Amino acid sequence: MVTRNDPYLGGSEGAPPPPPPGGYRGNTRVSRMMRPAAPPLPAPVAPALPAPRPSSSRAAKIVSAVVLAHALWLLFRLLLPGASSYYFTIGAITVQVLMLIAAIVILVGPRGRRLGTIALVVTLFINVATVGSVSALESAQSGNYDDYKTSEQRKWNAYPGIRGVDPAEILDKPSLEENIARTDDLNAKLRAALTTEFGITWTMHGENTLRNNRNGYGGESMLVDRSGPVWTSDRPMQSVADKRRLRDVVNRVMLQNGVSRTIVLSDPSYQSDPGNLERFYGSANPDQQHTWSMVSVDRQVTFYIDVQIFDLSQDPTGAFRTEREGQSARDGTPLEGVQISARGYELLSADKRDEFIAKLKTFGQ
């Protein structure tokens, strides 16, 4: 007979007893051993290698070398004389077009794309750089920028006067012919006075030269700058006392003929910067200068009479002699001695006065 206190009986008859707290010993190890194993990881797959790029063909290499050599020749040709006349010839343009076509043909082919790209880029860059540089230089040298101007700007290219200068002021000035006559007369009187004072004999070098003035609108005005011939003495002048006497004679002759301003440019009283005096005249001390320079100007500032004394005995370094030798080779003037010349600016010829006035009217002036 079974009693209630029997340890082998549970709470209900015939059922197994519940497991002890924490489960039976060894139950976790058994359950872990009974789990299925994880599937193995797949083997890593090596990345696919890119297909080898085909090498450039021999024809592509040859044509590319020719195109690049021509581009370098264009760049080198820019440094040689006559570049502007070369780049715009039919032959040069034809060759450039052919080189461009050759670079494009190489680029299209599968075995020349890399070389074709390089050749095309270099060709375009060099062509633009060289032709553009030549065009810019031509425009700068000639002052012709018509291709970049509006119609109104092109109209003002023909303005007869000078931008910013009152036309009435130009018409009130002595004409070119009057300027020449006036300065020639003053020059002759000055030479005669110096001959009387020092016994100098004079020699003329050159003749009157005219240079057209720009009008400030990209074209040329009807006004000119004039440079007269140079008169030189037959002997040097090295005595400081003689130089001062010459200065006094110049000042006296100019005053007698209505020219009240004679400036000694090389004198410290006019030029206070010792550095400039040394740079242009050899010394800040007039007694040690290789050049004495003076200019006489009329009240209207329509002409200048220049008088210079070159003295190589005050040239200890020989640099001034070298400079004078170069000048003498260009115009035939002596290395030292006295020189007299005349110049004028923004002068209108009497023969062109009526034309000047008529053209001004087309500009509302």
Side-chain angles (χ1 to χ4, degrees), residues 158-186:
Y159 182 68
I162 297 178
R163 186 175 188 173
V165 179
D166 188 350
E169 179 183 335
I170 295 172
L171 294 170
D172 289 341
K173 291 170 62 174
S175 67
L176 170 64
E177 293 77 12
E178 291 171 335
N179 178 277
I180 294 175
R182 172 72 165 146
T183 54
D184 283 353
D185 178 66
L186 282 172

Side-chain angles (χ1 to χ4, degrees), residues 32-220:
R32 200 165 39 237
M33 291 175 63
M34 294 178 65
R35 290 177 185 170
L41 296 174
V45 180
L49 296 176
R53 179 179 298 176
S55 60
S56 300
S57 65
R58 178 175 297 180
K61 293 178 180 178
I62 294 174
V63 176
S64 298
V66 172
V67 172
L68 294 175
H70 178 260
L72 294 176
W73 159 248
L74 289 179
L75 191 61
F76 175 73
R77 186 64 180 81
L78 188 65
L79 305 176
L80 300 179
S84 59
S85 60
Y86 169 77
Y87 284 103
F88 299 105
T89 60
I90 297 298
I93 294 175
T94 302
V95 173
Q96 293 181 50
V97 172
L98 291 177
M99 293 297 107
L100 184 62
I101 294 174
I104 295 175
V105 170
I106 300 172
L107 180 62
V108 172
R111 297 185 62 188
R113 290 177 180 171
R114 178 184 298 177
L115 292 178
T117 302
I118 296 173
L120 182 61
V121 170
V122 172
T123 299
L124 292 176
F125 176 78
I126 296 297
N127 284 355
V128 172
T130 53
V131 176
S133 299
V134 169
S135 299
L137 288 173
E138 282 192 336
S139 297
Q141 290 173 354
S142 63
N144 183 11
Y145 294 92
D146 289 345
D147 293 341
Y148 309 96
K149 292 182 178 180
T150 64
S151 58
E152 182 68 14
Q153 290 173 325
R154 292 192 188 98
K155 171 189 173 182
W156 282 88
N157 279 355
Y159 182 68
I162 297 178
R163 186 175 188 173
V165 179
D166 188 350
E169 179 183 335
I170 295 172
L171 294 170
D172 289 341
K173 291 170 62 174
S175 67
L176 170 64
E177 293 77 12
E178 291 171 335
N179 178 277
I180 294 175
R182 172 72 165 146
T183 54
D184 283 353
D185 178 66
L186 282 172
N187 204 323
K189 291 177 177 177
L190 179 57
R191 294 198 312 272
L194 293 174
T195 296
T196 301
E197 185 75 20
F198 299 100
I200 295 173
T201 300
W202 300 93
T203 302
M204 187 179 78
H205 299 266
E207 56 187 13
N208 285 312
T209 58
L210 305 178
R211 184 179 64 86
N212 291 330
N213 284 123
R214 307 294 296 178
N215 62 9
Y217 294 101
E220 289 187 350

Side-chain angles (χ1 to χ4, degrees), residues 7 9-11 15-28:
L9 294 178
Y24 295 107
R25 182 179 180 184
N27 180 55
T28 302

